[in-house]
Amino acid sequence: MILKIFRFWLLFFMFFIICLSTNGQDYYTRIDYFPVQKSDVSDEKFRKANYILEQTYASIKKDSSNIVYADHFNIATAFSLLREPKENIMKELNLAQEKDLKSTATVFIMAVKSPEHFQLTQHEFDSLHSKFQHIYNKEKLKVESFNIDEYLSGEKYDRDLVEIMYLLDKHDQKYRKNEFIPELQTPLDIKNQTIIDSLYNQFGKYIGRSTVGEKFEHVMWLIIQHANIDMQEKYLPIVYTAVQNQDLKETPLKMLIDRIYSRKYGYQIFGSQMGVDLAEEEVIKDVKRKYNIN
């Protein structure tokens, strides 16, 4: 009898906890959820989406206390490829906004070019695009009014290099941000690449976080990313060393590898290039092993 009563209250308590959890949080990101392949999802889309989920879940598990907006954005993209219910796609996109509205707006404006990306209607897409464009434009004005003295306050960064990186960053995006105008942007890209070569010859290393701070650690990589394949291959080991030395985050390295492999072989390793197929599993494993990327 006592055992039956104990079991009853145990079940009641468990049910109560579940109810509290459900009421307190209607939705949460499951980092073990891999949807089954639906009939209207191609094998290539299914493979790409699962790869995005694997990479994102692995990143979250590495530091579960620091789920960032990009994790939710990536999951939303994967869910859309897998034709998951639209409400789950939008919940992930909303979580991305909650984490970092400004960064989500920037990525949306730069990467999402059609309603199909998130299974949106044209009206929903236009509404979101308008909202994010407004946020993006405000942030762009802040960047344009960058205060170098404030940035350098209390830091030991090289002022001359910070000024150079600030200008290189602006020039790289001048005719690329809203609409790419190659006849105007290409001459600027070539000039930027010449400056990067000069800086590398002078300092013999990647100009990154330790020299110009986190805000500009990406700039040298960005110029390389937009260069020809010869320059990309030349600087790939230098970018790799910068990542190993914590002078640059790992994501730019992945994107550079993808850009090179896309150009050379017609496939990519990490899924950062839109419209490019993933390499075979063994190739992906070999590249990850070579560059010490999980």
Side-chain angles (χ1 to χ4, degrees), residues 55-92:
Q55 294 290 307
T56 305
Y57 292 164
S59 175
I60 293 171
K61 287 174 183 176
K62 193 181 292 184
D63 185 3
S64 59
S65 65
N66 188 31
I67 302 178
V68 298
Y69 80 95
D71 297 325
H72 294 298
F73 197 95
N74 288 338
I75 293 170
T77 298
F79 281 1
S80 182
L81 288 170
L82 293 166
R83 309 299 297 172
E84 280 293 282
K86 185 175 172 180
E87 63 181 41
N88 289 348
I89 298 169
M90 295 312 298
K91 282 170 182 173
E92 289 293 341

Side-chain angles (χ1 to χ4, degrees), residues 120-156:
L120 302 169
T121 65
Q122 189 64 52
H123 175 72
E124 290 168 335
F125 174 78
D126 291 342
S127 177
L128 267 180
H129 193 278
S130 176
K131 168 189 169 182
F132 288 145
Q133 186 72 60
H134 178 69
I135 296 167
Y136 174 77
N137 289 341
K138 283 176 66 177
E139 288 307 298
K140 194 164 69 169
L141 285 174
K142 288 181 184 178
V143 171
E144 289 170 355
S145 59
F146 172 64
N147 186 325
I148 190 169
D149 291 318
E150 186 178 312
Y151 181 71
L152 293 170
S153 178
E155 303 290 348
K156 296 180 180 179

Side-chain angles (χ1 to χ4, degrees), residues 48 145 170 179 204 233 262 264 270 272:
K48 183 174 183 179
S145 59
K170 285 188 71 175
E179 180 185 357
E233 290 190 309
S262 296
K264 286 188 77 172
F270 300 102
S272 67

Side-chain angles (χ1 to χ4, degrees), residues 220-277:
M220 185 169 177
W221 159 79
L222 192 61
I223 307 305
I224 295 161
Q225 186 78 352
H226 292 148
N228 58 42
I229 193 165
D230 291 336
M231 186 171 189
Q232 290 172 347
E233 290 190 309
K234 170 187 172 183
Y235 280 98
L236 178 57
I238 295 155
V239 170
Y240 169 69
T241 300
V243 172
Q244 296 299 106
N245 292 338
Q246 298 187 331
D247 235 7
L248 180 68
K249 293 183 180 69
E250 191 178 77
T251 298
L253 172 62
K254 292 179 177 179
M255 292 176 72
L256 180 57
I257 291 170
D258 273 352
R259 186 66 65 90
I260 291 171
Y261 273 73
S262 296
R263 284 178 160 182
K264 286 188 77 172
Y265 309 114
Y267 55 71
Q268 60 180 321
I269 307 302
F270 300 102
S272 67
Q273 306 297 297
M274 295 292 287
V276 180
D277 291 344

